[in-house]
Amino acid sequence: MKEWLSLIADVIGILGAIFALLAWLQSRQLKQAIEQETRRQNQKIQVVLQHGANKIELPIELRRAEITRAEILGRIGMLPMKKQGERFSIAYLHKPEFQKQISQVVEGSGEGIITISCTEKELAQFDL
């Protein structure tokens, strides 16, 4: 009887060690995945207003985690206007392509650029 208990205890100990090893390996993989996602979310994204060769780069890059339509509009709203107190107007911001561009940057990886197409008049409203 003693031999059976010893054998059962040994098997339980070995199985416990195997499960502990598998849990450690899985936690290591999860930690690496979290670190990789954190690095991806911290990548800088440049937002550019563009009409032909004329470009205005927003002065502060956004992190991928900060990219939302509202955040981009807020950053554009911080640009100085030629007519003080007026709100900017850019037709491209109402198009589905703009939202698609945001989605591609948010879901993607690597350095990214969001290019906002403007007319000459739309670009001229900013005092830069």
Side-chain angles (χ1 to χ4, degrees):
M1 185 70 169
K2 244 183 178 182
E3 291 174 12
W4 280 99
L5 288 175
S6 176
L7 181 62
I8 291 172
D10 289 342
V11 169
I12 290 172
I14 292 170
L15 288 176
I18 291 171
F19 286 125
L21 176 64
L22 293 175
W24 176 76
L25 289 173
Q26 185 177 19
S27 71
R28 217 173 116 205
Q29 288 174 341
L30 287 173
K31 182 180 177 187
Q32 289 173 348
I34 289 170
E35 288 173 353
Q36 181 180 3
E37 180 62 15
T38 301
R39 282 192 301 274
R40 190 184 78 80
Q41 290 292 328
N42 285 329
Q43 291 170 333
K44 301 295 182 185
I45 306 298
Q46 185 65 46
V47 179
V48 178
L49 304 176
Q50 181 175 2
H51 171 70
N54 295 333
K55 291 182 180 181
I56 297 176
E57 293 183 13
L58 294 187
I60 300 172
E61 292 178 332
L62 297 164
R63 293 179 323 131
R64 188 176 306 278
E66 299 170 334
I67 296 291
T68 63
R69 183 178 184 275
E71 188 65 30
I72 293 171
L73 295 178
R75 299 288 173 106
I76 294 172
M78 292 173 60
L79 294 173
M81 302 291 290
K82 286 187 178 174
K83 294 182 182 177
Q84 294 293 325
E86 283 197 11
R87 180 158 163 42
F88 69 90
S89 175
I90 301 173
Y92 181 77
L93 300 176
H94 304 291
K95 295 183 179 180
E97 293 84 17
F98 176 59
Q99 191 60 44
K100 286 179 188 174
Q101 221 180 12
I102 292 173
S103 296
Q104 288 172 349
V105 167
V106 168
E107 295 168 4
S109 61
E111 297 296 321
I113 297 176
I114 294 178
T115 303
I116 299 171
S117 299
C118 300
T119 64
E120 186 175 345
K121 184 180 176 183
E122 289 171 340
L123 205 58
Q125 65 188 328
F126 298 105
D127 186 21
L128 297 172

